Each structure stands twice: as structure tokens, then as C-alpha cells.
Amino acid sequence: MANETEIPLINHTAEADLPSRESTTVVSSLRHGHFSVTITFVKVWPIPVCEIIFERLNFAKRIRVSKTKNGKLFSANMSLEHVFKSDVCSGDMLISCRIGTKNIEVGRKQFHTCPETVSIQQTAVISHTNYITREYLATVHANRKTNYARIGQAAQNELPNILRELLLIKEPPNLLQSHVMQNDDLKRRLRDGDKLKIQQVANNNGYNGFDIPLMYTLIRNLKLVPPPTQGWDKE
């Protein structure tokens, strides 16, 4: 079998120009019943007609397609966003496309994002973490000295470790970058240095290099804890 580096950029036939693996990307996620898929073909002709099948459900009619001219060929982007009525967290996905008269498999994936069973100790950590996190996040934008005094000691000593523990439990490092890339509002809030940390988190020491403002931004915008009763920005 040939190595991927030996695959030509475009596989030309009389009927179609088929994309190579290197020029095709698929990003997909299943989180709290929210199913999303993005397929990108850098160079292809004609425009692919694709099916996204999840657990026997065919979402072909729900796929949104955009295209741009790329030399003599096209660049095509296909996206799907679907929210299940129930909190679906596992299942098999298959993506196949027809390009001209050729049918190709673009990708397949088995999702399993269901919450893991946690120990009594982990449950206690989560409960304690949620409480302190909500107390801190609810006052980030407030100016009352009494509120800061109440949580000052935790913020200086205990809070960074608690936030890292919360992120490790609720947002595994290997999933962080894909979840951030799907959140446009969160991406706009991040600094360049933060984006670099997020890109490297899976290969580094987890969340050890993350500071409190960055962890706060992730926890809030990825909705890892319930919001305060009065909202995030209330005093």
C-alpha cells in the first residue's frame, strides 16, 4: 500500500477530479445532543454530493454547501448543524460523497461523549469546584470590595488548581481545540497567546499553563458550569 505522501494532489479521471486525503478535512462533534460536521474540499470537480449518516439517520438534505473557484477546479465547504431532541452522546457516523460518477467514503467516526461514571471523591470535587467557581465567576465584573474579600483567599491560593481540576473533568484536553473552533464568540475573546496554548494543550501538561482569566473564559463560554442565578455580569 502506498504511503499518504505518495498520493497525488488531485486524482484526475475523465469524469471527475477526485480530492486526495491531504486536500480534504472533516471536523465533527457530538456534544449534549448537538451534532455538527464540517467538510472541506480544497480542490475538486464537480461539486460533491454528500451524505452524512448518523445511526441510520441520513442528513443529506440538511447539508449546507458553499463553493469558490480554485483555478480550473473548485473549493467546496459543506456544513451540518443538528440538535437532537434528547441528549444524544454516542453513535456511529459515516460520510460518503458522489463526485461525478464516483462514490467515495470521506470519513467515519464513532462518538462516545457520554459523561463518565465518577467516583464519590470526584463527585465531591465537582460539587466543591462548582460552588467556588460560580462564586468567583459571578464577581469577575463586579467592583464591590466585600465580594472580592470574600473570595480573595480562594482566588489567590485554591482557585487556580480547582479550575484546572474542573476543566480536566468536564473538558478533556484532546477535545478542547475542536470545541473552541466551533464557538465563534469564544474565538473572538481569545488572545493570540491563548489560542497557542489551546493548540498545544493536548501535547503538553494538560491545563497547567493556563491562567485564571483564560480558564474563566473557557468555563463560561463552553458552559461547563451552570450560570449564576443573576447572570454572569450582575453585581
Side-chain angles (χ1 to χ4, degrees):
M1 178 179 293
N3 295 327
E4 287 189 7
T5 54
E6 298 173 342
I7 298 176
L9 181 64
I10 294 294
N11 303 318
H12 179 76
T13 71
E15 301 161 333
D17 285 289
L18 304 180
S20 66
R21 294 179 184 178
E22 293 84 354
S23 63
T24 304
T25 59
V26 177
V27 178
S28 60
S29 70
L30 177 65
R31 185 177 176 85
H32 303 307
H34 185 180
F35 179 48
S36 66
V37 181
T38 301
I39 312 165
T40 302
F41 297 97
V42 177
K43 287 187 176 182
V44 67
W45 181 88
I47 299 300
V49 178
C50 296
E51 291 184 335
I52 300 175
I53 299 175
F54 179 82
E55 290 295 304
R56 299 183 181 180
L57 295 175
N58 193 330
F59 292 96
K61 295 182 179 180
R62 300 283 303 278
I63 299 174
R64 301 179 63 180
V65 181
S66 62
K67 62 182 180 180
T68 56
K69 195 70 175 174
N70 189 349
K72 295 180 179 181
L73 307 178
F74 288 95
S75 294
N77 182 273
M78 304 181 180
S79 61
L80 167 68
E81 297 286 341
H82 178 75
V83 179
F84 292 99
K85 293 182 179 180
S86 59
D87 194 6
V88 176
C89 59
S90 64
D92 294 329
M93 176 190 72
L94 172 65
I95 303 174
S96 60
C97 297
R98 187 178 76 254
I99 304 176
T101 60
K102 301 291 184 179
N103 291 301
I104 62 172
E105 179 180 312
V106 175
R108 62 173 64 225
K109 184 175 181 179
Q110 185 176 57
F111 293 97
H112 183 69
T113 59
C114 303
E116 297 182 2
T117 303
V118 297
S119 64
I120 295 176
Q121 182 179 6
Q122 286 177 312
T123 301
V125 169
I126 293 173
S127 178
H128 183 55
T129 299
N130 284 349
Y131 169 73
I132 293 183
T133 302
R134 285 197 301 269
E135 286 292 301
Y136 172 72
L137 299 183
T139 60
V140 164
H141 300 285
N143 293 317
R144 293 181 180 177
K145 294 182 179 180
T146 54
N147 286 337
Y148 278 110
R150 182 163 52 121
I151 64 166
Q153 184 175 1
Q156 292 176 8
N157 302 318
E158 187 178 5
L159 184 62
N161 292 330
I162 289 178
L163 293 180
R164 292 188 186 100
E165 184 72 18
L166 174 65
L167 282 167
L168 284 171
I169 292 173
K170 293 196 172 184
E171 184 65 25
N174 63 307
L175 300 178
L176 177 64
Q177 185 177 6
S178 64
H179 292 162
V180 170
M181 293 303 294
Q182 296 164 27
N183 190 320
D184 292 335
D185 185 57
L186 174 55
K187 285 191 293 184
R188 286 193 294 269
R189 295 173 183 271
L190 295 172
R191 299 170 297 182
D192 291 340
D194 294 336
K195 294 177 182 177
L196 181 60
K197 290 179 181 179
I198 290 170
Q199 291 174 1
Q200 299 174 344
V201 66
N203 299 321
N204 294 338
N205 298 319
Y207 295 103
N208 287 342
F210 286 38
D211 56 23
I212 288 178
L214 175 55
M215 290 189 288
Y216 155 69
T217 301
L218 294 173
I219 291 169
R220 171 176 173 174
N221 288 276
L222 292 176
K223 298 182 171 76
L224 301 184
V225 297
T229 304
Q230 299 298 322
W232 292 110
D233 301 323
K234 297 294 184 180
E235 294 189 0

